[in-house]
Amino acid sequence: MTPEEFRDAGHRLIDWIADYRINIEQMPVRAQVSPGEIKNRLPESPPEAPETIDRLLQDLDEIVLPGITQVQHPMHFGWFPSNASLASVLGDIASSGLGTLGISWESCPALTEVEQVVCDWMRQLTGLSEQWKGTIHDTASTACLTALLLAREQASGYSQNEGGLQSVPRPLVVYTTEEAHSSVTKATLLAGFGKQNLRLVEHEPTTRAMLPDALKNSIEQDIADDYQPAAVVASVGSTGVTAFDPVARIAEITSQHKIWLHVDAAMAGSAMLLPECRHLWEGIEAADSISWNPHKWMGTILDCALFYVKDSAHLIRVMSTNPSYLRSSVDREVTQYRDWGIPLGRRFRALKLWFHLRLDGPDAIRERLRRDLDNARWFAAEVEKTPDWRVLTPVNLQTVCIRHEPAGVEGEMLNAHTLAWVSEINQSGKAFISPAKIDGCWLVRVSIGVETCDREHVQCLWELIKSTASAGTDGFLMTNA
Ligand SMILES: *Cc1c(COP(=O)(O)O)cnc(C)c1O
């Protein structure tokens, strides 16, 4: 494709994307396809001759769009907001168009230095002190793995340069809670700690936040049993119910025992753009590493996960391999981001954040986050004042966990009822919400915060929920009578 052909096809594609965003509300929220359906509509073998952009756009419309669960749809309340602001989309396109190669400072100085600047802008915007140095990873999962590698090497005195974990005298232990994201378990396994050395510390039953005393006891017990505590992963806004582990109290314990403290704020980091929310991570300055995803609620398109450390010398010591073919005369003066994470070749990811911050502006982003918090409070209040409905966990941010509990419906019957009304809503394509199982009981998470979701959409969802659930109970009680 020549640049002129690209210009023509590219304009068509941008128009197509703009139309998609304009018309998204007409589409079902959840993809209405069954497994294999999309695949069956595609040719088995690749084309030999070139095709036209028209044919491709037609297939995007006819084959791809029906196979998308529309997370940009204002009636999407599932999982978490996975916003993709169009300003950041432009930055992503710029990154692709430049086709840079990020393997060293020398291979693209701008890639490194724009990333340094935007990470520092984000540090300032979230109220962190200057001691934090940041980089952009693909996801919070990768950031958590990196953090646990740093913890492992701190606890083992750089065992990786000798026999690795196979030679450490005492098993190294990681602490988190049951509320933690599955990526914490995965990172623990990948970093070689082993499942037996992952402790799920007791949490407070209502807030589901880690109990610092339980952490302290668990650590002391492990030390007595000849284990070596290496890392605590605290959730700042857990995925299930947006629980906030008490960072300040946890940090007192970790600093006393020289244990690495990683704060997983993947979802709730966006809230830290709002000064009024920062009490939720009080004590954060005492952590060792932090990660959060602008690619969630804040709305910089996937993939964009910020990772901050205080001791970047330790990070580089653990992650650097410094092969001869990548060395250059400026190495002492510059940042080599390949030594801050796992991949060698890196995209110019900072551009999407740079575009997002410059074209939308932090003021408008903060205003949107406040709108969502307000909508969540409104929704929770409506649920609470309606008979037979309950809000089950504290509404710390924009996720509201609810259940319909009609009289006489309990236990397994209640679980079946909950799953039935959720599934009816999701199948209808009118809205999407996700159920979650907490302490053996299903509840429904309403995660507010899609960029285009206004109060009217939340109102519309609440009407839909009420009518679907009560119709469900009528049918349910009749069939079970
Ligand atoms: C979403 C989420 C993750 C995982 O994020 P990825 O970027 O998809 O790896 C981890 N932790 C929490 C608390 C999350 O909400």
Side-chain angles (χ1 to χ4, degrees):
M1 179 174 274
T2 66
E4 283 310 329
E5 286 164 346
F6 172 80
R7 189 193 307 281
D8 177 55
H11 284 156
R12 309 277 305 281
L13 179 64
I14 297 282
D15 282 340
W16 185 90
I17 295 172
D19 288 338
Y20 164 65
R21 292 293 183 102
I22 290 169
N23 297 323
I24 198 166
E25 251 183 286
Q26 268 74 62
M27 293 172 218
V29 189
R30 193 180 74 180
Q32 307 281 305
V33 294
S34 38
E37 205 175 314
I38 305 287
K39 208 168 128 205
N40 288 338
R41 298 184 58 191
L42 297 171
E44 248 172 60
S45 30
E48 289 297 340
E51 297 185 73
T52 62
I53 185 78
D54 288 320
R55 269 307 314 275
L56 259 172
L57 293 179
Q58 191 185 344
D59 282 356
L60 273 186
D61 275 322
E62 292 171 5
I63 303 176
V64 174
L65 276 190
I68 293 182
T69 291
Q70 308 291 351
V71 295
Q72 308 307 329
H73 194 298
M75 292 299 285
H76 178 261
F77 299 92
W79 310 303
F80 48 82
S82 181
N83 287 321
S85 86
L86 287 169
S88 69
V89 169
L90 288 176
D92 214 31
I93 293 173
S95 166
S96 296
L98 287 169
T100 51
L101 172 63
I103 53 176
S104 64
W105 178 86
E106 198 177 28
S107 76
C108 187
L111 185 153
T112 303
E113 296 187 15
V114 175
E115 184 163 330
Q116 287 180 300
V117 168
V118 293
C119 287
D120 198 63
W121 285 1
M122 292 310 301
R123 172 191 71 72
Q124 296 171 47
L125 285 169
T126 49
L128 294 172
S129 77
E130 280 178 18
Q131 61 178 343
W132 296 97
K133 302 286 175 241
T135 184
I136 305 176
H137 285 326
D138 53 358
T139 59
S141 302
T142 304
C144 187
L145 172 58
T146 309
L148 288 187
L149 296 174
L150 300 183
R152 186 188 75 192
E153 293 310 300
Q154 173 179 277
S156 68
Y158 301 95
S159 67
Q160 66 181 13
N161 298 329
E162 290 151 28
L165 272 190
Q166 301 188 78
S167 68
V168 302
R170 294 178 297 157
L172 305 182
V173 184
V174 178
Y175 304 81
T176 192
T177 71
E178 191 189 300
E179 261 302 298
H181 191 266
S182 58
S183 58
V184 178
T185 306
K186 195 181 234 177
T188 305
L189 303 185
L190 292 177
F193 291 93
K195 207 167 207 163
Q196 285 179 359
N197 301 310
L198 175 64
R199 305 274 181 269
L200 298 180
V201 177
E202 200 189 332
H203 58 258
E204 205 279 328
T206 316
T207 63
R208 303 187 72 81
M210 183 187 285
L211 289 168
D213 286 338
L215 173 67
K216 187 165 171 282
N217 293 341
S218 186
I219 288 172
E220 283 168 1
Q221 185 64 52
D222 278 328
I223 294 172
D225 294 343
D226 216 20
Y227 285 82
Q228 185 179 355
V232 174
V233 180
S235 306
V236 158
S238 67
T239 312
V241 305
T242 337
F244 285 82
D245 290 341
V247 176
R249 302 243 352 246
I250 293 170
E252 280 169 26
I253 300 166
T254 52
S255 57
Q256 194 187 337
H257 292 279
K258 287 211 182 334
I259 299 170
W260 190 274
L261 173 56
H262 177 62
V263 170
D264 174 14
M267 168 61 211
S270 300
M272 303 311 163
L273 289 160
L274 307 177
E276 66 269 30
C277 288
R278 290 187 197 146
H279 65 94
L280 290 167
W281 73 0
E282 198 204 327
I284 191 68
E285 290 294 326
D288 294 289
S289 53
I290 308 170
S291 63
W292 72 274
N293 289 344
H295 73 223
K296 285 184 167 169
W297 190 19
M298 180 179 141
T300 311
I301 188 176
L302 247 168
D303 45 359
C304 186
L306 289 167
F307 181 61
Y308 290 97
V309 293
K310 290 195 293 205
D311 187 353
S312 54
H314 174 64
L315 170 69
I316 294 165
R317 189 165 167 196
V318 173
M319 304 303 284
S320 167
T321 45
N322 202 22
S324 58
Y325 65 94
L326 288 175
R327 288 183 208 151
S328 78
S329 59
V330 294
D331 282 356
R332 283 174 190 283
E333 297 158 57
V334 298
T335 294
Q336 300 290 9
Y337 272 133
R338 65 169 183 270
D339 297 337
W340 288 55
I342 295 163
L344 169 61
R346 311 173 79 247
R347 280 168 58 74
F348 202 156
R349 264 198 206 101
L351 283 180
K352 53 183 147 192
L353 201 44
W354 200 48
F355 271 55
H356 188 196
L357 290 173
R358 295 187 60 189
L359 293 176
D360 280 356
D363 254 350
I365 297 170
R366 283 189 287 254
E367 200 177 311
R368 173 166 61 75
L369 300 177
R370 289 193 175 110
R371 173 203 64 182
D372 298 337
L373 292 174
D374 196 48
N375 282 340
R377 282 188 289 265
W378 175 85
F379 177 69
E382 289 297 307
V383 175
E384 253 161 4
K385 71 182 186 210
T386 308
D388 296 342
W389 285 90
R390 269 181 67 201
V391 174
L392 296 154
T393 53
V395 181
N396 290 317
L397 291 179
Q398 40 54 262
T399 301
V400 186
C401 297
I402 64 168
R403 193 155 53 218
H404 183 225
E405 300 183 346
V409 182
E410 283 164 18
E412 278 315 308
M413 241 171 108
L414 182 58
N415 277 341
H417 171 59
T418 306
L419 291 176
W421 67 258
V422 171
S423 139
E424 195 177 327
I425 288 177
N426 291 346
Q427 270 172 28
S428 77
K430 290 181 195 157
F432 187 86
I433 42 187
S434 28
K437 203 172 195 178
I438 304 281
D439 297 333
C441 272
W442 287 97
L443 53 71
V444 180
R445 296 170 66 258
V446 174
S447 179
I448 293 167
V450 171
E451 197 176 2
T452 51
C453 172
D454 283 312
R455 176 66 59 86
E456 55 176 343
H457 299 104
V458 185
Q459 280 167 339
C460 176
L461 175 75
W462 179 222
E463 292 309 318
L464 180 65
I465 286 179
K466 279 187 294 188
S467 59
T468 311
S470 52
T473 339
D474 298 344
F476 198 77
L477 289 177
M478 268 159 52
T479 40
N480 282 279

